[in-house]
Amino acid sequence: MIRAEKISKVKEHVRAWKKEGKTIGLVPTMGYLHEGHASLIKRAREENDIVIVSDFVNPIQFGPSEDLATYPRDFEADCKLCESIGCDLIFHPEPEEMYEDNFCSYVGVNTLSENLCGKSRPIHFNGVCTVVTKLFMITEATKAYFGQKDAQQLAIVCRMVRDLNYNIEIVGCPIIREDDGLAKSSRNTYLNADEREAALILHKALTKGEELVRAGEKDAKKVKDEITKIIETEPMARIDYVEIVDWNQLQPIDRIDCDILCAIAVYIGKVRLIDNFIIK
Ligand code: AMP
């Protein structure tokens, strides 16, 4: 597996692969890889000649009071995992390699970034769109793989690709969970034993919400209230949002009569966790 820190090195390999007519699958990550990331890399391995994983904690998608400095990192472990799945190249740039002095060009979407995580993280999705665009350009990927775990991000990247005619196919992949239901996340490592136990409330509440919708409940408020009530039984939990939006525009709805995303963000202690379900 090739390890590349420089954009020029990635481009050199990409040029050769493209010359040979190879398809390239890209999996953008911030590293500290777990089975959720592995599922994306495996899928990319199945569907492409070449697999590139980017491993980059993207500073421009973090707000000033967020966890950029403490975000967990273990590049050697990431390399081992990627190699075991048969990844061809791991791209691990320094921030200065991605953002040169006087960097001032950004890609962003509106509407879709107004609600859910966009409300409390106002610069986040412009940072995501910008880095993802750069990664698409650098790798010339045929397909890129994103998890439904970050459902708003998946929706935004799909829309950006459609609106701006990017030459790439976006593949959405299901949420991978721990055996007890907690969605796998690099940030789960911040949780102490008590918080880890308390974090189960997210999946518990969403499971009940999904049951209600599948049983025919059409009143979004009733579903949200039920989810909220369950989360509030956990003293260590503090709700950031519980929201039901239409999956197309990510705008809040009153009646459930379209494809929906039900998404929550909850602080367990100081750790902000997100989870969701989609019903089409
Ligand atoms: P991150 O490193 O957190 O930026 O995540 C990189 C990619 O992995 C994103 O597309 C995430 O949605 C995806 N991902 C993270 N956690 C999971 C999970 N538990 N299941 C599936 N995909 C995931």
Side-chain angles (χ1 to χ4, degrees), residues 33-53:
L33 304 180
H34 50 66
E35 285 167 47
H37 300 108
S39 71
L40 273 55
I41 303 168
K42 283 179 192 154
R43 175 97 183 256
R45 182 65 287 162
E46 284 162 22
E47 298 181 355
N48 300 274
D49 299 324
I50 298 293
V51 175
I52 299 178
V53 172

Side-chain angles (χ1 to χ4, degrees), residues 27-40 54 56 61 71 145-151 153-154 171 173-178 182-188:
V27 183
T29 81
M30 296 208 300
Y32 212 70
L33 304 180
H34 50 66
E35 285 167 47
H37 300 108
S39 71
L40 273 55
S54 62
F56 177 58
Q61 71 188 62
Y71 195 83
Y145 297 78
F146 290 85
Q148 185 201 306
K149 164 77 175 20
D150 300 275
Q153 169 175 282
L154 173 61
V171 182
C173 302
I175 301 175
I176 305 297
R177 298 179 179 281
E178 303 286 353
L182 179 67
K184 288 195 183 256
S185 164
S186 308
R187 288 189 169 100
N188 291 350

